[in-house]
Amino acid sequence: AALLRVVERLSVAPRLPPGRVRVGAAVCARAAATWLRNEVWRTNLSLWEDTVAGSPRRAGVWNNLGCARVEKGDLEGGEADFRRCLELEPFYFGALNNLAKTLLMQQRWKECHETLLTLFEKHPAALKNRQILYWAGVALVGMGRHQEGARILERILEDEPGHFLATKFLGLACLYQNQ
């Protein structure tokens, strides 16, 4: 509205040709639009919030919004976004993977384990991913299924002997087994 008033005032100014006024107004409008768009791109979170607002029925954008929330430390918000993604596309690999990781970070072992079972059932190639297998082992140890968790962690260490966290959780699993 303010821009329109400026254009109206300039268009009646005696010394400026109307064409220049229109060009100037167009440049100002474009600069304002660019500035507003750049604000959306300022952070991952604002970018994906804007994308979800424009495409709320696309599963992938909900998954990406969830990742941005988790990156900012909002595990509950990220979890909700991953679940919304799975409502739209029930076996979306990225959402199952990210939901399992988020549940693991919250030490919600059983839910993490159940999510991983779905992931392995619908995407068998995930069984070859060491990081996802690591989460499965940790979830089992967290649930008190120490022997099963230990077997998975040992399998990871056969392939990657220097995997520090697998070694750490394997040690915990063995400790808990002996108690």
Side-chain angles (χ1 to χ4, degrees):
L3 184 59
L4 287 175
R5 283 194 297 270
V6 169
V7 170
E8 287 172 4
R9 284 187 183 167
L10 288 174
S11 65
V12 294
R15 295 187 182 157
L16 293 175
R20 286 189 182 175
V21 170
R22 283 192 288 275
V23 169
V27 168
C28 288
R30 187 70 174 160
T34 300
W35 180 80
L36 290 171
R37 190 71 192 150
N38 286 346
E39 280 300 300
V40 169
W41 284 78
R42 193 170 39 87
T43 67
N44 260 352
L45 186 58
S46 61
L47 170 66
W48 290 111
E49 286 173 336
D50 182 66
T51 306
V52 162
S55 304
R57 295 189 184 278
R58 291 184 54 206
V61 297
W62 285 100
N63 181 61
N64 292 341
L65 177 58
C67 290
R69 288 193 201 281
V70 168
E71 187 178 282
K72 291 283 188 187
D74 180 7
L75 300 180
E76 291 80 16
E79 177 188 346
D81 294 335
F82 299 138
R83 291 189 187 281
R84 176 67 181 130
C85 176
L86 292 168
E87 287 173 15
L88 295 169
E89 196 173 318
F91 306 114
Y92 191 92
F93 178 87
L96 287 168
N97 183 37
N98 292 323
L99 177 59
K101 179 181 178 185
T102 302
L103 293 168
L104 187 81
M105 292 167 71
Q106 297 176 66
Q107 298 182 5
R108 291 166 54 191
W109 313 121
K110 187 171 193 262
E111 291 173 84
C112 174
H113 178 69
E114 290 167 357
T115 302
L116 288 169
L117 289 178
T118 302
L119 179 64
F120 294 143
E121 177 188 338
K122 299 300 178 183
H123 303 279
L127 288 165
K128 295 179 181 170
N129 183 308
R130 273 190 228 120
Q131 187 62 48
I132 296 172
L133 285 175
Y134 164 74
W135 297 337
V138 171
L140 287 167
V141 171
M143 291 169 52
R145 294 167 59 179
H146 305 115
Q147 261 187 327
E148 293 170 87
R151 278 196 299 269
I152 291 173
L153 295 168
E154 286 169 348
R155 183 174 149 198
I156 292 168
L157 289 169
E158 286 172 10
D159 292 339
E160 188 180 335
H163 195 296
F164 172 75
L165 291 173
T167 304
K168 179 179 175 179
F169 274 93
L170 178 59
L172 288 172
C174 292
L175 176 70
Y176 292 138
Q177 281 178 341
N178 294 327
Q179 288 183 351

